[in-house]
Amino acid sequence: MKPKFAIAIHGGAGTILKSHLTPEQDALYRERLTRALETGYALLECGSTSLDAVEAVVQLLEDDSLFNAGKGAVFNSDGKVELDASIMDGKTLKAGAVAALHHVKNPICLARAVMENSEHVFLIGEGAEAFAKAHQIELVDESYFFTEARWQSLQKAKSKESLTEKEKHGTVGAVALDQFGNLAAATSTGGMTNKKFGRVGDSPIIGAGTYADNETCAVSATGHGEYFIRAVVAHDIAALMRYKNLSVQAAAEEVVMRKLTKLGGTGGVIAIDRNGNIAMPFNTEGMYRGYKVQGGKTFVAIYKEE
Ligand code: ASP
C-alpha cells in the first residue's frame, strides 16, 4: 500500500568514520536525529503540511549546537557566522531563500517568510535581516552563535591544521510528503569553516541544494557546495525523473554517484517522491540521516554500511 506521508532528514555528510566518534557522540547524534525525525513524523501524522513539517524539523536542528546550522554554525574567516537557508513548496513551486545572515536565529523561518510574504525568492545580508525585522522573525546577538567547538575549528583552520569533516562543514535538511500528496524541501547551513569573501554555497540556491516539485520529488543536499552548484544537483534529480522517467532512487544515484563524483564533488542528498519512496545516496564515508514512512520504523544512520 502506498504510504500517505513520509519524511527524511540529514545532518551533513563527509568523512564520518566510526573511529572519529566516541560511542557517546555516536549515541548523541542518533538521539538528536531521532528526535527531529519523530517530531516531523508526528506533525505529518496529525495532518500538518509537508511545508510546516520540514520547517519545524530544520528549525529544531538549527537550535541544536551539534549541527552546522543556526546555533551550531561554523565561523567564517572573520570569526562570524554567516547563515544560509532555503525552502520550497512542491505544490506551487514557490520558494524562499536567504544567505549571509549574522543575526537570524532560525534562517529557515526567514526563508519561509520570504517565500510567503515577499514578491522575491532570494534575499541576502542586511536586506534580508531588515526584512526579518519587518516580519517579526527573531534576531539575536551574534554571541548567541558562539560555541567553543566551532571556535577551535576556526583556529585550527587558520593554522592550516587539517580539520575533520565535522569541523569543516555540515548542513541540515528535511524533505517530506504530506497526507494531501504535497512535497516540500528545506535546507539550512552555516556553510564552511573559514569561508571568505561572502562565500555562499549550494544550500540556499534553489535547484542546487534544495528543490521540490509534486510531479517529481523533493530534494535537500549536503556536501561541498561549489560542486553542488556546478552540477545543479537537486534540480537535476527532478529533471531525470520528469524527462527520463527515472525512479527517485535511480535519479538521485545517477546525479550523486556519477555526475557529482566525476566532477570531484563530495556529499549526498535526501530525496522523496510523491509515493513516499525515499533515496539517500552519498559518496562520502558517512551522512547523518534518517527517515520514517507512515506505519514504518524510524531509521537513523551515520556511516556508509548501515
Ligand atoms: N553544502 C554546504 C555548503 O557548501 C555545506 C555542507 O553541506 O556540508 O555551504
Side-chain angles (χ1 to χ4, degrees):
M1 212 183 67
K2 172 171 146 1
K4 282 213 188 83
F5 59 94
I7 183 161
I9 64 170
H10 72 75
T15 316
I16 310 160
L17 293 164
K18 225 181 184 130
S19 57
H20 290 171
L21 296 180
T22 64
E24 292 74 31
Q25 287 172 323
D26 178 295
L28 194 59
Y29 273 108
R30 287 175 202 270
E31 183 192 311
R32 300 293 171 79
L33 287 169
T34 303
R35 188 181 63 176
L37 195 55
E38 291 185 344
T39 300
Y41 183 90
L43 285 169
L44 293 168
E45 196 172 34
C46 293
S48 286
T49 63
S50 50
L51 214 45
D52 282 342
V54 295
E55 182 189 358
V57 167
V58 167
Q59 192 179 347
L60 198 65
L61 294 167
E62 286 177 339
D63 291 341
D64 189 335
S65 62
L66 223 46
F67 301 99
N68 174 19
K71 170 75 185 146
V74 299
F75 290 110
N76 69 6
S77 61
D78 298 328
K80 291 175 183 295
V81 296
E82 225 162 38
L83 312 168
D84 308 333
S86 65
I87 192 163
M88 186 158 182
D89 178 0
K91 181 180 170 196
T92 57
L93 299 187
K94 282 189 173 173
V98 288
L101 310 172
H102 298 292
H103 303 95
V104 177
K105 182 167 178 270
N106 291 108
I108 200 63
C109 301
L110 181 57
R112 175 98 186 249
V114 170
M115 175 172 93
E116 288 178 347
N117 303 318
S118 85
E119 68 269 38
H120 306 300
V121 168
F122 201 166
L123 301 182
I124 63 160
E126 281 173 23
E129 295 201 340
F131 181 86
K133 209 167 176 186
H135 288 83
Q136 286 79 49
I137 299 288
E138 189 174 353
L139 296 169
V140 289
D141 187 80
E142 281 174 278
S143 60
Y144 165 79
F145 299 104
F146 183 87
T147 55
E148 188 58 35
R150 299 302 191 195
W151 187 252
Q152 291 311 329
S153 303
L154 177 65
Q155 305 318 313
K156 265 173 90 175
K158 283 191 181 285
S159 65
K160 301 263 182 309
E161 244 182 275
S162 64
L163 297 185
T164 65
E165 213 73 23
K166 184 156 62 84
E167 293 172 314
K168 252 190 269 178
H169 54 87
T171 284
V172 305
V175 294
L177 164 71
D178 64 27
Q179 298 193 28
F180 317 101
N182 294 320
L183 297 174
T187 311
S188 181
T189 192
M192 297 177 83
T193 299
N194 204 24
K195 62 186 182 181
K196 300 176 183 68
F197 314 117
R199 180 266 186 190
V200 176
D202 60 309
S203 307
I205 297 181
I206 297 303
T210 303
Y211 196 72
D213 177 357
N214 275 2
E215 287 188 24
T216 53
C217 61
V219 181
S220 172
T222 176
H224 196 146
E226 280 68 11
Y227 294 89
F228 281 71
I229 295 171
R230 291 165 57 210
V232 205
V233 167
H235 183 266
D236 223 34
I237 294 170
L240 283 174
M241 293 178 69
R242 177 186 288 272
Y243 302 117
K244 292 268 191 189
N245 274 322
L246 260 58
S247 68
V248 67
Q249 184 70 40
E253 271 191 25
E254 176 65 32
V255 177
V256 174
M257 307 311 278
R258 281 180 278 284
K259 184 182 179 190
L260 181 73
T261 304
K262 206 168 149 200
L263 208 58
T266 51
V269 303
I270 50 170
I272 187 169
D273 72 10
R274 61 180 160 187
N275 295 317
N277 297 307
I278 289 166
M280 345 181 85
F282 53 96
N283 64 6
T284 50
E285 293 299 333
M287 179 165 87
Y288 300 105
R289 63 199 185 279
Y291 68 82
K292 190 165 172 143
V293 177
Q294 183 192 15
K297 280 210 306 232
T298 299
F299 172 86
V300 165
I302 300 177
Y303 318 108
K304 205 181 323 192
E305 312 298 343
E306 286 195 62

